[in-house]
Amino acid sequence: MQTIRGFRDILPEKISLWQKVEKEATHLFKSFGFKEIRIPIIEKTQLFARSIGEVTDIVEKEMYTFEDRKGDKLTLRPEATASIVRSYIQHKMYATDPIRKFYMVGPMFRRERPQKGRYRQFYQIDAEIFGVESAYVDSQLIFLLNQLFKRLGLTGLSAHINSLGCPECRPSFQKVLLDFIESKKDMLCENCLRRMDKNPLRILDCKIENCRNAIAHAPATLDHLCNECSDHFNTVKKALETQGVDFIVDKSLVRGLDYYTRTAWEIQTTTLGAQSAVAGGGRYDGLVKELGGPQTPAIGFAIGFDRLVEVMEQIDKIPEPLPLDLFIISLGDTAMEKGYHWSCELNQKGIRTEIDFRGKSLKALMKRADKLAARYVLIAGENELIENAIILRNMNTKEQVSLSMEDMIPELIKIFKK
Ligand code: ATP
Ligand code: MG
């Protein structure tokens, strides 16, 4: 049996970078006042269709959707924002305190063409802030991402930012855009032609080369912002500058989800080939209302955890695992029983101890101790038990001492807790 296409195991030998990233990220989130939220892996299909947008790549082509035994249409979550918004509304969080900051880490599912940096089950580190419209929040989130990448020792990343406008300025922009697209109609793919009526903004996100060429000089939202959106974006830029966060204003950045308004951004790397975005985010001031809650401004980002780890693998050595402190060799039934209790006690005290229960010979077990790179070995056979002198061997210096059973545990703790 093999994993299915686009799904993979992350094996213990590779896990330490994942743990390092998660530890840094959660540490940083907490100092910025975020709280962890855990959301289901499956939701009603409706939730994603309505929030991400019916006419988007994710909803049209990438979702794992199925009917359960009762015929309910369900989907494996392709992203976290929709579920977190659902949760915010379902639990009426706006009523007790509309300002909320959440983070979550977990798997997402999209049926895309698998390749390096693109999987069908992938992981995201996600953060969302509800209830604040201020542009300082936008720059605060980009600053946070910048800090995280700095702490992880990553360089060569750039923040691409854009403003997508709001319901105030979008209709007039769409007109200008449609006029432009009309003139390029012959060059567009079937998908884009279909999108002309339903969702012309999506054409700006088409990955097909002919379409990309056609829209190369398309009008940009940034040149058609209303005054408020324009002021908002200027404040974001200024706040980033004052904090020394480098960014590139990228008029062509539109992002693949419909719910974004105003600021949208991507953190890109030059080292992962085509899969260049390691994180993406944006403001979605209309989504809470759209899904049935009160008008609530909100903003968030998602880091592509798999891609981030791949960038780190290029610069960071996978840290060596901690060595085993003690390997217990018990020879004979009575010694095995004692050894079992000693190991439980030491494990409980946080000392990395292993015991081999297979009843192998001393020679075989010494070999195993070498393989496990144990620092010390404890040897207990029938004689050692009778004489109450258990052997402790330092595998480095080859020195041996004997310990009485009463003193043994405190002695070992003394050695290993140093
Ligand atoms: P892309 O343009 O690379 O398809 P996206 O815009 O679809 O990315 P988002 O929905 O913004 O991605 O998700 C945020 C981040 O999650 C991306 O920047 C990326 O790092 C990561 N990501 C998205 N899809 C995948 C995938 N299939 N496999 C691995 N990581 C992914
Ligand atoms: Mg995508």
Side-chain angles (χ1 to χ4, degrees):
M1 294 285 232
Q2 301 270 313
T3 50
I4 51 180
R5 201 164 124 79
F7 288 68
R8 60 191 186 137
D9 302 313
I10 295 160
L11 299 176
E13 301 87 81
K14 290 266 185 164
I15 210 74
S16 55
L17 282 181
W18 290 77
Q19 291 172 336
K20 179 173 166 179
V21 170
E22 192 166 337
K23 198 169 151 205
E24 280 296 347
T26 49
H27 184 74
L28 205 55
F29 284 144
K30 283 179 186 155
S31 55
F32 276 77
F34 288 81
K35 302 222 164 75
E36 185 176 2
I37 185 166
R38 298 194 185 190
I39 46 170
I41 280 182
I42 300 177
E43 300 263 7
K44 288 185 186 150
T45 304
Q46 268 284 311
L47 173 65
F48 302 117
R50 274 181 59 192
S51 55
I52 297 167
E54 295 277 1
V55 188
T56 56
D57 279 353
I58 296 180
V59 173
E60 283 185 331
K61 301 190 290 206
E62 299 173 357
M63 295 202 307
Y64 281 96
T65 296
F66 62 97
E67 283 185 8
D68 76 357
R69 283 165 190 264
K70 280 206 168 153
D72 291 332
K73 259 190 133 186
L74 307 177
T75 295
L76 293 185
R77 65 183 186 200
E79 58 116 38
T81 307
S83 304
I84 298 177
V85 172
R86 191 237 346 105
S87 178
Y88 181 82
I89 300 169
Q90 180 176 338
H91 302 287
K92 296 195 173 54
M93 296 190 207
Y94 48 82
T96 43
D97 183 1
I99 301 178
R100 303 277 180 149
K101 300 178 176 188
F102 302 113
Y103 75 89
M104 66 81 59
V105 183
M108 305 296 158
F109 304 85
R110 296 184 195 175
R111 200 174 186 290
E112 306 190 68
R113 194 168 72 78
Q115 52 201 290
K116 189 154 178 66
R118 195 175 290 288
Y119 308 98
R120 290 180 171 180
Q121 173 173 337
F122 62 101
Y123 293 79
Q124 285 188 339
I125 301 173
D126 187 274
E128 315 283 345
I129 298 182
F130 290 82
V132 192
E133 196 178 356
S134 164
Y136 289 112
V137 174
D138 308 39
S139 64
Q140 196 179 33
L141 281 183
I142 299 170
F143 173 74
L144 192 166
L145 275 170
N146 191 59
Q147 271 301 306
L148 175 63
F149 295 143
K150 248 192 198 156
R151 286 181 191 200
L152 294 172
L154 300 179
T155 51
L157 296 176
S158 50
H160 290 237
I161 68 170
N162 193 16
S163 176
L164 303 177
C166 68
E168 201 51 44
C169 38
R170 203 166 281 174
S172 61
F173 170 70
Q174 286 216 2
K175 265 201 209 108
V176 181
L177 178 65
L178 266 177
D179 282 347
F180 174 86
I181 289 171
E182 199 69 48
S183 72
K184 303 278 176 185
K185 231 171 149 177
D186 314 340
M187 294 171 75
L188 297 178
C189 72
E190 255 173 54
N191 246 338
C192 284
L193 288 175
R194 200 167 41 81
R195 285 168 177 173
M196 276 180 72
D197 306 323
K198 291 190 171 164
N199 194 350
L201 217 68
R202 283 274 70 82
I203 297 175
L204 299 176
D205 198 33
C206 187
K207 301 289 188 301
I208 294 172
E209 201 176 336
N210 265 347
C211 298
R212 295 225 63 80
N213 290 334
I215 57 167
H217 302 289
T221 47
L222 201 58
D223 299 321
H224 295 84
L225 297 180
C226 61
N227 287 340
E228 279 176 21
C229 285
S230 181
D231 288 347
H232 196 271
F233 194 56
N234 285 335
T235 309
V236 176
K237 288 189 290 183
K238 193 156 162 247
L240 287 173
E241 272 160 16
T242 348
Q243 278 300 325
V245 178
D246 291 333
F247 61 86
I248 297 163
V249 174
D250 183 348
K251 282 186 185 183
S252 68
L253 184 112
V254 287
R255 316 265 305 114
L257 305 90
D258 276 355
Y259 51 63
Y260 288 120
T261 52
R262 292 192 166 167
T263 322
W265 70 89
E266 246 170 42
I267 311 292
Q268 298 184 358
T269 165
T270 47
T271 60
L272 285 183
Q275 273 50 258
S276 59
V278 290
R283 183 166 274 289
Y284 51 95
D285 290 342
L287 187 58
V288 176
K289 184 151 188 221
E290 173 70 29
L291 291 181
Q295 172 53 39
T296 309
I299 181 168
F301 66 70
I303 299 171
F305 204 160
D306 309 66
R307 288 188 200 172
L308 182 55
V309 168
E310 276 160 24
V311 176
M312 288 183 65
E313 277 170 353
Q314 296 169 344
I315 52 157
D316 214 343
K317 274 208 292 291
I318 295 185
E320 292 283 324
L322 291 168
L324 185 64
D325 289 327
L326 183 71
F327 185 69
I328 300 178
I329 297 180
S330 288
L331 304 165
D333 290 345
T334 322
M336 191 70 85
E337 194 190 339
K338 293 257 184 245
Y340 167 71
H341 290 295
W342 297 333
S343 74
C344 289
E345 205 162 327
L346 292 166
N347 287 149
Q348 189 187 303
K349 295 273 183 341
I351 290 163
R352 289 184 297 277
T353 308
E354 281 210 41
I355 173 167
D356 193 304
F357 295 119
R358 293 172 304 169
K360 296 266 179 186
S361 70
L362 177 62
K363 193 173 160 210
L365 291 173
M366 283 305 287
K367 257 198 187 156
R368 174 113 187 113
D370 273 332
K371 188 165 181 188
L372 295 175
R375 294 167 58 202
Y376 286 82
V377 171
L378 199 66
I379 304 167
E382 298 298 325
N383 281 343
E384 284 78 17
L385 292 185
I386 292 164
E387 287 162 21
N388 193 15
I390 311 299
I391 299 169
L392 179 68
R393 181 179 171 89
N394 181 326
M395 296 294 276
N396 230 339
T397 63
K398 315 287 180 220
E399 273 174 300
Q400 295 195 165
V401 293
S402 55
L403 302 170
S404 74
M405 284 185 261
E406 303 76 64
D407 298 340
M408 195 176 77
I409 300 288
E411 274 303 315
L412 290 173
I413 291 171
K414 240 193 261 164
I415 295 174
F416 295 117
K417 287 279 161 154
K418 250 186 234 159

